[in-house]
Amino acid sequence: MKEIVKKYLEGEAGFHEQVQLLKWLRHPNNRSVFQQYKSGWKKNHADSWFPADAVKSWNSIEAAIVQKSFSKWQKSKKIHLIYKYAAIFFFVLSLGGTIRYYTSINQPPVFYTSVMAENGQISKVELPDGSLVWLNSGSQLQYNTEFATKNRDILLNGEAYFHVQQNAKTPFIVSCNNLKIKVTGTTFNVSSYPENKTVDIVLESGSVELSNKKSSSFSYTMKPGEMAQFETENQKLQISQVNTTRFTSWKDGIINIYNQSLSEVVKRLEIRYNQNFDFDEDIKDFHYTFTIKNEPLSEIIQLMEKITPVKAVQEKDVIIFCLDKNKLREAD
Amino acid sequence: MFDIQVKKGLKNGDPGAYKEVFRFLYPRLKGYCKLFITDEHEVEDIIQEGFLTLWEKRAGIQPANSVESLLFVIVRNRCLNRIKKKKLEESNGDLEKSLPNEIQFLYQIDFTGNEDRSLEELMIESFQQAVEELPEKMKFIYKKCKIEGKKQKEVAEELGITVKAIEKHISKAKNQIRDKLLLQYPSLVLLITFLFSH
């Protein structure tokens, strides 16, 4: 019977076995034995066990849960009501706070340090706590004088790759938009250029916890190899599996362009080479796949002209891509 | 089957706790659904929706109660609704008695600890309830023609109205029953009674 119970629990029992099990279970005395078999079976299954045909199903449930959690952040009038009460509550508290403030005024004021990477540059920064940050072109990060002593809070604008020092006592928190990324020690990449509509986080190793500044009721813990895309406008979060090197290789000066449209490619070139581009509307949907290591811009442009029938012309300090009709004719 | 820690995780909406419950219950929930629903995709949908319902109603989860039976009731009600819908599409509003699938009692004992009414009975009950809730005259005509099996002409003569009027009543009744049955979303009601009764 134990064997049949096992088969039943794993969804492998056939019709006759299920009938047999039912008959057996109709004797109340057998039910406690059944419970024993059940908990024994559960214990025998390691943490990693997962029913083979259920992975896809679970993935969609998890995705839906994550989606629902994050979309809840923005809505609900009830929350506004809570804010109202909270405001009153904090007003009362602040009366007490002013008194405390006068007694603590002797402490040194808090200053902010900010680090920037100009367009066309990648900066590598060592933070006071020993964590390393690679700042991508056109990005900025800020932290205060209490960093590494009282907090490890960082404000990020743009893209950065983090290698965070282990310190479970003071979590390392990156804020961008309303998203809070909390880590204790790990490597991950955050991309939050203001012109993009999403904040993208790619986790290489360790674990990070995402939460919303506006609401403390939800958090999502990322696993290595995952990319989280947070839509800043409607506060939704999407999780997907990615090849992380595609998103983190920029720190070594490598840019991977994988099936991206001309308009996206141009954006990345602008940041990397500090050069303004423009392009004709009718070619914006040409797609490219290539990798840039340390090649000069001229080589990249030649490459693009080879892949697609486009031509680059310089007008003042802007490079303009347009359709090369001669090449189109050759192709015919 | 699941410890307090997991149940607390469910209550807090932690996806890890849901995964834990999912991996141990999925094969059996699937086995149960398959007793009534042949389409694999539909079975998958029901289970996925079931877990999302649990997640949405997580505030009502009580760590002292069994998650197994809670999920079972949620999934059972989803099966019930699918079958109702199918029956209505097939048979134009009449729900005939069908023999209950015996194996479902195995799952009932396993998940809830005892044998309860069969899904088929529940379906007929909700159908009878929908009939009872029809307006008086409509109910009378519907019962006479559809349940007692009398001829429309006989009933028309008995009431002193035309056969056309009878037909109209019956088709209206069918629509009302259909709306009632499909609107009826028992999962929430049963969920609440369940939480209070155990």
Side-chain angles (χ1 to χ4, degrees), chain A residues 28-200:
Chain A
N29 294 345
N30 291 333
R31 292 195 187 165
S32 58
V33 183
F34 177 68
Q35 290 302 335
Q36 271 172 26
Y37 288 164
K38 225 159 80 166
S39 46
W41 170 78
K42 187 170 171 266
K43 257 185 222 134
N44 275 336
H45 282 77
D47 289 346
S48 56
W49 176 81
F50 211 80
D53 56 340
V55 178
K56 226 176 113 194
S57 192
W58 168 250
N59 286 342
S60 30
I61 292 173
E62 189 178 38
I65 287 179
V66 169
Q67 180 82 60
K68 276 167 188 281
S69 324
F70 276 76
S71 60
K72 274 205 176 130
W73 282 356
Q74 53 181 31
K75 60 174 182 182
S76 172
K77 282 178 188 161
K78 273 185 199 158
I79 287 179
H80 290 298
L81 203 66
I82 289 170
Y83 279 138
K84 247 187 216 168
Y85 289 126
I88 296 167
F89 179 69
F90 281 115
F91 174 72
V92 175
L93 269 192
S94 68
L95 294 176
T98 28
I99 300 162
R100 268 194 68 90
Y101 175 75
Y102 283 115
T103 56
S104 65
I105 204 158
N106 289 333
Q107 283 175 3
V110 174
F111 290 111
Y112 284 88
T113 310
S114 74
V115 186
M116 282 175 73
E118 300 285 342
N119 275 351
Q121 285 181 359
I122 297 169
S123 316
K124 186 176 167 188
V125 190
E126 188 178 342
L127 296 172
D129 70 329
S131 297
L132 293 174
V133 184
W134 284 257
L135 261 184
N136 206 347
S137 314
S139 308
Q140 183 184 16
L141 68 80
Q142 253 183 24
Y143 55 90
N144 63 29
T145 38
E146 291 178 337
F147 187 92
T149 52
K150 286 190 178 158
N151 67 50
R152 291 205 288 168
D153 297 351
I154 283 213
L155 261 159
L156 172 70
N157 207 323
E159 181 165 23
Y161 175 85
F162 294 90
H163 186 111
V164 177
Q165 276 294 329
Q166 285 280 2
N167 181 353
K169 271 190 204 153
T170 327
F172 190 95
I173 297 171
V174 183
S175 303
C176 32
N177 273 304
N178 283 322
L179 195 68
K180 256 166 87 172
I181 306 154
K182 190 172 133 186
V183 291
T184 46
T186 182
T187 50
F188 65 105
N189 190 70
V190 181
S191 170
S192 70
Y193 285 112
E195 62 270 25
N196 294 349
K197 288 183 183 107
T198 57
V199 178
D200 300 347

Side-chain angles (χ1 to χ4, degrees), chain B residues 46-135:
Chain B
I46 287 175
I47 295 175
Q48 287 177 24
E49 287 165 13
F51 273 87
L52 292 178
T53 308
L54 181 68
W55 188 84
E56 270 164 4
K57 308 268 173 261
R58 64 189 184 283
I61 294 175
Q62 289 169 12
N65 292 337
S66 155
V67 191
E68 269 178 293
S69 39
L70 189 55
L71 248 172
F72 180 74
V73 173
I74 294 174
V75 166
R76 186 196 65 191
N77 287 337
R78 299 212 157 248
C79 287
L80 186 59
N81 276 358
R82 294 281 161 129
I83 300 178
K84 274 188 205 162
K85 214 171 183 173
K86 211 161 245 158
K87 284 259 167 175
L88 286 172
E89 277 161 15
E90 278 167 10
S91 63
N92 239 348
D94 308 317
L95 296 167
E96 295 115 54
K97 278 209 164 124
S98 44
L99 274 181
N101 190 326
E102 185 74 0
I103 292 178
Q104 67 185 294
F105 298 113
L106 165 61
Y107 292 87
Q108 285 190 5
I109 295 173
D110 175 16
F111 280 92
T112 69
N114 48 44
E115 287 187 44
D116 196 5
R117 283 164 301 175
S118 69
L119 196 73
E120 292 81 359
E121 281 173 290
L122 288 176
M123 185 170 69
I124 287 162
E125 264 170 42
S126 62
F127 171 71
Q128 283 168 347
Q129 201 189 334
V131 173
E132 286 306 320
E133 282 172 15
L134 291 174

Side-chain angles (χ1 to χ4, degrees), chain B residues 7-198:
Chain B
K7 289 181 197 171
K8 276 189 184 155
L10 294 177
K11 204 173 165 66
N12 293 336
D14 167 23
Y18 285 80
K19 190 175 183 178
E20 183 70 3
V21 172
F22 178 86
R23 67 187 185 123
F24 287 116
L25 296 191
Y26 175 82
R28 278 180 284 157
L29 289 174
K30 195 171 170 183
Y32 177 78
C33 293
K34 276 160 106 181
L35 299 176
F36 310 105
I37 293 155
T38 43
D39 184 349
E40 286 263 342
H41 293 290
E42 249 178 84
V43 171
E44 288 292 337
D45 283 351
I46 287 175
I47 295 175
Q48 287 177 24
E49 287 165 13
F51 273 87
L52 292 178
T53 308
L54 181 68
W55 188 84
E56 270 164 4
K57 308 268 173 261
R58 64 189 184 283
I61 294 175
Q62 289 169 12
N65 292 337
S66 155
V67 191
E68 269 178 293
S69 39
L70 189 55
L71 248 172
F72 180 74
V73 173
I74 294 174
V75 166
R76 186 196 65 191
N77 287 337
R78 299 212 157 248
C79 287
L80 186 59
N81 276 358
R82 294 281 161 129
I83 300 178
K84 274 188 205 162
K85 214 171 183 173
K86 211 161 245 158
K87 284 259 167 175
L88 286 172
E89 277 161 15
E90 278 167 10
S91 63
N92 239 348
D94 308 317
L95 296 167
E96 295 115 54
K97 278 209 164 124
S98 44
L99 274 181
N101 190 326
E102 185 74 0
I103 292 178
Q104 67 185 294
F105 298 113
L106 165 61
Y107 292 87
Q108 285 190 5
I109 295 173
D110 175 16
F111 280 92
T112 69
N114 48 44
E115 287 187 44
D116 196 5
R117 283 164 301 175
S118 69
L119 196 73
E120 292 81 359
E121 281 173 290
L122 288 176
M123 185 170 69
I124 287 162
E125 264 170 42
S126 62
F127 171 71
Q128 283 168 347
Q129 201 189 334
V131 173
E132 286 306 320
E133 282 172 15
L134 291 174
E136 274 312 312
K137 196 169 180 186
M138 207 187 268
K139 180 165 72 180
F140 180 81
I141 295 171
Y142 187 85
K143 276 185 163 174
K144 286 270 175 199
C145 296
K146 285 288 164 185
I147 296 172
E148 294 168 24
K150 285 204 171 157
K151 289 221 165 89
Q152 292 190 355
K153 214 177 154 191
E154 285 175 76
V155 181
E157 276 164 13
E158 194 184 330
L159 290 175
I161 54 174
T162 62
V163 174
K164 256 221 162 108
I166 295 276
E167 276 172 6
K168 230 180 179 175
H169 273 295
I170 289 180
S171 84
K172 246 189 173 172
K174 276 182 185 167
N175 283 336
Q176 283 202 20
I177 292 170
R178 179 190 307 260
D179 291 350
K180 262 253 156 66
L181 285 182
L182 294 184
L183 268 180
Q184 218 180 28
Y185 221 62
S187 50
L188 190 59
V189 182
L190 279 169
L191 186 68
I192 291 163
T193 49
F194 177 81
L195 288 172
F196 281 104
S197 63
H198 281 249

